[in-house]
Amino acid sequence: MILTVTLNTALDLTYGVPELVPHASHRVSDISERPGGKGLNVARVLSALGHETVVTGFAGGSTGTVLRELLAGLSPQDTRSRNTEPGAPEADVPRTGPRTGATGTSPEGQDDRAIPADAAPAPHASSAARSAPAPITDALVTVAGNTRRTIAVVDRTTGDTTQLNEPGPLVSADEWSAFLVRYRELLAGADAVALCGSLPPGIHVGAYAELVRPARAAGVPVLLDTSGEPLRRGIAARPDLIKPNADELAQLTGSRDPLRATRDARRRGAHGVVASLGPDGMLAVTPDGVWRASPPDRVRGNPTGAGDSAVAGLLSGLVEGLAWPDRLRRAVALSAATVLSPTAGDFDRTAYEELLPRVDVEEHRPAA
């Protein structure tokens, strides 16, 4: 099982407009809503790759209810199998928990729920065979505040996206403590954990460092994907891998040179660093070597979720024991295929299969 942590979950709304014009009214041509936040996007892709995934973090209020119903594959109108109030009785819902460790109810009185994923299957990096989508288990912790919304406005003429992100609910000290108990229980059955995204109001800036330490103590590989001061604090706890983009890496290290900045990030505590360089691919500096992976073609579309798909590629490759070049090849192909999909958390399967064998991975060898 792979555990993904999304402390600031979101209901992702995508509005398509024929053309986005500043200071003008627009008629929306198409609308979609999905359960979102970086870790939930990662989980959706992992499921499509055939990996059983548990998602945890916070959800609350009416938006949180809709998020969980969508995550479960239910329509917002059908709530008979779900009651999100702590301790409330529930209708029969299929459940699966981690392979080992604690099962049963969460600190908030909510059972883990096995969720049939609706994402399309995709092949692994070294195989053309497709895996059946694996279940995603909902282990989110209920909070009193309302889960945030993110709004992506996609210009269907240019393919460009304008993103609006709400801040998220205020999380209390008691809610944070309840989450920590649940997180430690879930680590017992995890093969790897991804800590993803921004922190909601009320969570201290060193929260990710607090989550990295028990994962490492349990021997669970941990990937950290955040930015700013939470990344700076988290990296000091020595995560196994971080995945900053170019701007986040420059903010962390003060350098715009990708190789220099990535090496600097390793010196600050990360065992491995994979820098996302946008259309130029990825750069990995690891204990096993340095590689650069580049997509065969530049793609244009909605970049929302592309970094999350890359995280899924890296994590799945780690759990499967793939060599670094194959992990990077998968991550780059998934990222590019996500840009070609209009909705966060999805990737274009046909594009992924076509791109995968064409991703170029070169090992960097220091000059003699």
Side-chain angles (χ1 to χ4, degrees):
M1 176 269 283
I2 298 176
L3 175 63
T4 71
V5 175
T6 312
L7 297 178
N8 208 7
T9 58
L11 180 63
D12 285 343
L13 305 174
T14 302
Y15 295 151
V17 297
E19 184 179 8
L20 184 61
V21 180
H23 314 297
S25 296
H26 296 78
R27 186 175 299 277
V28 176
S29 58
D30 54 275
I31 304 171
S32 68
E33 57 180 6
R34 307 295 291 273
K38 293 178 74 63
L40 295 186
N41 292 337
V42 171
R44 185 179 296 277
V45 177
L46 285 170
S47 169
L49 294 171
H51 287 274
E52 180 185 351
T53 308
V54 174
V55 297
T56 192
F58 299 111
S62 60
T63 307
T65 299
V66 173
L67 179 147
R68 299 183 80 162
E69 289 168 351
L70 290 171
L71 186 60
L74 302 176
S75 69
Q77 291 76 23
D78 184 0
T79 61
R80 289 172 295 176
S81 63
R82 176 66 56 110
N83 189 328
T84 61
E85 291 302 317
E90 301 175 23
D92 291 336
V93 179
R95 294 175 173 88
T96 60
R99 290 178 323 227
T100 60
T103 58
T105 58
S106 74
E108 295 294 325
Q110 299 168 20
D111 291 335
D112 291 350
R113 301 169 175 89
I115 299 169
D118 59 357
H124 293 295
S126 56
S127 172
R130 296 178 183 176
S131 301
I136 302 172
T137 298
D138 175 351
L140 296 168
V141 173
T142 296
V143 293
N146 203 37
T147 295
R148 67 184 177 134
R149 296 165 299 176
T150 68
I151 300 172
V153 182
V154 182
D155 185 321
R156 297 302 184 197
T157 300
T158 65
D160 293 335
T161 301
T162 299
Q163 188 81 18
L164 305 173
N165 297 328
E166 295 180 356
L170 178 66
V171 177
S172 70
D174 287 345
E175 290 165 342
W176 174 244
S177 296
F179 168 78
L180 289 176
V181 173
R182 190 68 185 123
Y183 173 70
R184 292 188 179 98
E185 291 175 347
L186 292 169
L187 283 176
D191 297 315
V193 59
L195 308 175
C196 303
S198 62
L199 300 178
I203 299 297
H204 65 95
V205 74
Y208 281 130
E210 189 174 355
L211 299 181
V212 169
R213 294 187 188 102
R216 289 190 51 77
V220 178
V222 55
L223 184 153
L224 177 60
D225 184 17
T226 189
S227 60
E229 192 61 23
L231 174 59
R232 192 181 306 276
R233 301 282 186 93
I235 201 173
R238 301 187 64 77
D240 293 272
L241 186 64
I242 64 170
K243 194 214 67 65
N245 61 33
D247 290 337
E248 293 163 350
L249 192 61
Q251 185 181 17
L252 175 69
T253 66
S255 174
R256 281 283 174 184
D257 178 84
L259 184 58
R260 179 181 301 170
T262 306
R263 284 175 166 160
D264 185 0
R266 272 206 73 209
R267 287 192 291 268
R268 292 168 184 262
H271 288 264
V273 180
V274 177
S276 177
L277 306 178
D280 294 324
M282 308 186 87
L283 174 67
V285 177
T286 79
D288 301 318
V290 178
W291 290 269
R292 183 151 190 166
S294 305
D297 306 298
R298 289 189 173 235
V299 295
R300 197 171 175 83
N302 181 2
T304 304
D308 305 330
S309 292
V311 168
L314 294 169
L315 269 182
S316 59
L318 168 67
V319 169
E320 293 169 30
L322 297 183
W324 269 108
D326 285 334
R327 297 185 208 178
L328 293 169
R329 191 171 286 111
R330 178 184 291 178
V332 169
L334 282 169
S335 181
T338 301
V339 173
L340 295 171
S341 176
T343 306
D346 281 346
F347 64 93
D348 185 314
R349 186 181 67 191
T350 301
Y352 169 58
E353 294 172 353
E354 192 274 333
L355 288 166
L356 184 60
R358 299 172 55 217
V359 174
D360 180 56
V361 181
E362 294 184 356
E363 185 172 8
H364 175 83
R365 299 185 182 277

